[in-house]
Amino acid sequence: MKNKYTILALVAALGVVSCQEKVPADVVGTMDAKVKDSVIVYEEYMGDEPTKPEETEFYEPKVPVVKPGEKGSAPSDAIVLFDGTSLDNWISTNDSTAAKWHLNKDGSMTVNDKTGNIQTKQNFGDIQLHIEWKSPLPVQREGQNRANSGVFLNGIYEVQVLDQNDNPTYVNGQVGSIYKQHVPLAMASVPTGEWNTYDIIYHAPEFNKDGGKIKSGDITVIHNGVLVQDHAEIKGTTPYVGWPKNPPHGKGPLMLQDHGDDSRVSYRNIWVREL
Ligand code: MG
C-alpha cells in the first residue's frame, strides 16, 4: 500500500510540474495582471508601497465626455438606429431590400408578419445597445408563440423577446434568455402592452486565422433595470434545433426577429455605442 501511495504522489507531483511547464508564469495574463502559481498578481503594484496620495493619481489620458440622453434618448456619442422617423437604417435579412416592417405614428415600428427578419445596414462588433420593445394586447396564443421576437447580436446570438406574463415556457427560452443557452437570472417584464427596455453589453468572440474560437464572447442584459444576464459566455449560435455552432466571423448586423406567427411585437428608441 505504501508503494502505491508513493507512486500516486509521484504522478501527482509530475502532473504539477507538467502543468507549470505548459503555463509559464510570464505567458498568462494581461499587461498588468499575471498568473503566478495560480494566483493573480499585479506587477505595477509590486514595487515599494507609495507613501503620498499623488503617487497613485494620474491625469492622462483624458476621459471622453459623453452627454447623457434626456428622457430616454440616445447619449451624444451613440449611433441612432431607430428614432421613430424611418426604417432607413434597416434592410430585410432575406433579400437585403428595404425593411418591410410597419412604421407607426407613435415613433415605434412593428413586426410585419411573415415578411422576415430585419437587420441594420451597418455592422458592429462590441457594443452597448439600448432597445425598447412591447408585446401587444390583446394577447393571443401560448408559450413560444405569444409575442415571440428576438434581438440578435452580431446577427446570430439571440436575446429572447417574449410575452412571458402568465405564459410559462422552457426557462432557457423565456424572455431575457440567451436562447437555449443561458436561463435569465430573473423575469423582469412589465405588464403586457407596456414598453420594456433592454440594455445590453456585447463582447464579440475572437477567432484565429484558421477559424477556431480562441476567446468566447459574452452578453450582459439589463431588463427594465434588472440584471438578467451577467457576462453570459456565448457558447455559439442560438438555434431552435441542435447545438450551438461557432462559425468564425467579424463584425455583423443587429437583427430583429419576425417569428412568423403574428407576434405583433413593436420596437422603438434603438441606439448603440461602439465599445
Ligand atoms: Mg425569439
Side-chain angles (χ1 to χ4, degrees):
M1 287 298 279
K2 204 171 184 178
N3 283 344
K4 184 180 172 186
Y5 285 123
T6 306
I7 290 165
L8 282 174
L10 274 170
V11 168
L14 284 168
V16 169
V17 169
S18 121
C19 278
Q20 284 175 341
E21 282 174 357
K22 279 181 195 165
V23 190
D26 59 349
V27 169
V28 179
T30 59
M31 282 278 287
D32 56 357
K34 294 183 187 302
V35 176
K36 190 173 184 180
D37 297 331
S38 303
V39 174
I40 296 171
V41 294
Y42 298 92
E43 290 200 329
E44 63 186 307
Y45 301 140
M46 291 179 73
D48 293 337
E49 179 89 21
T51 56
K52 297 174 184 171
E54 305 83 64
E55 292 179 75
T56 49
E57 298 165 2
F58 58 94
Y59 293 82
E60 299 288 344
K62 298 287 188 203
V63 174
V65 175
V66 176
K67 186 172 180 289
E70 294 175 1
K71 297 177 182 174
S73 63
S76 58
D77 65 344
I79 299 167
V80 176
L81 297 173
F82 180 68
D83 65 1
T85 58
S86 83
L87 293 170
D88 287 352
N89 294 324
W90 301 79
I91 55 173
S92 171
T93 300
N94 289 337
D95 56 11
S96 299
T97 58
K100 300 175 183 66
W101 288 16
H102 302 295
L103 183 63
N104 306 315
K105 288 179 180 171
D106 67 355
S108 66
M109 61 168 147
T110 301
V111 176
N112 186 359
D113 193 43
K114 297 184 178 63
T115 60
N117 301 340
I118 64 170
Q119 65 187 49
T120 54
K121 292 177 180 174
Q122 188 171 346
N123 290 329
F124 302 100
D126 301 352
I127 54 169
Q128 173 189 349
L129 164 68
H130 175 89
I131 187 165
E132 300 175 21
W133 59 270
K134 181 177 74 172
S135 45
L137 287 170
V139 298
Q140 59 185 20
R141 302 198 175 91
E142 303 294 328
Q144 290 286 313
N145 298 112
R146 181 179 294 179
N148 189 328
S149 185
V151 177
F152 284 72
L153 299 155
N154 233 127
I156 48 178
Y157 308 121
E158 181 181 14
V159 178
Q160 177 69 300
V161 168
L162 192 74
D163 183 358
Q164 195 75 43
N165 297 310
D166 300 317
N167 183 36
T169 184
Y170 45 95
V171 294
N172 60 342
Q174 74 169 65
V175 69
S177 64
I178 308 302
Y179 186 69
K180 289 196 171 175
Q181 215 169 103
H182 290 285
V183 176
L185 301 170
M187 202 299 272
S189 289
V190 294
T192 305
E194 297 183 14
W195 285 98
N196 290 268
T197 61
Y198 272 170
D199 287 286
I200 296 174
I201 298 165
Y202 166 68
H203 293 107
E206 294 175 14
F207 302 86
N208 65 20
K209 60 178 172 38
D210 299 319
K213 189 167 82 172
I214 54 172
K215 185 179 179 187
S216 288
D218 64 70
I219 300 175
T220 295
V221 181
I222 297 172
H223 182 190
N224 297 323
V226 177
L227 183 67
V228 298
Q229 296 289 347
D230 183 7
H231 293 86
E233 180 187 0
I234 301 169
K235 298 175 182 174
T237 54
T238 52
Y240 178 41
V241 179
W243 300 126
K245 308 295 190 301
N246 284 282
H249 62 77
K251 292 183 175 183
L254 180 70
M255 188 174 78
L256 303 178
Q257 184 183 37
D258 167 16
H259 201 253
D261 49 6
D262 196 23
S263 70
R264 301 166 295 147
V265 172
S266 298
Y267 291 94
R268 72 176 184 187
N269 195 18
I270 307 172
W271 51 261
V272 298
R273 296 180 65 245
E274 293 183 297
L275 303 177

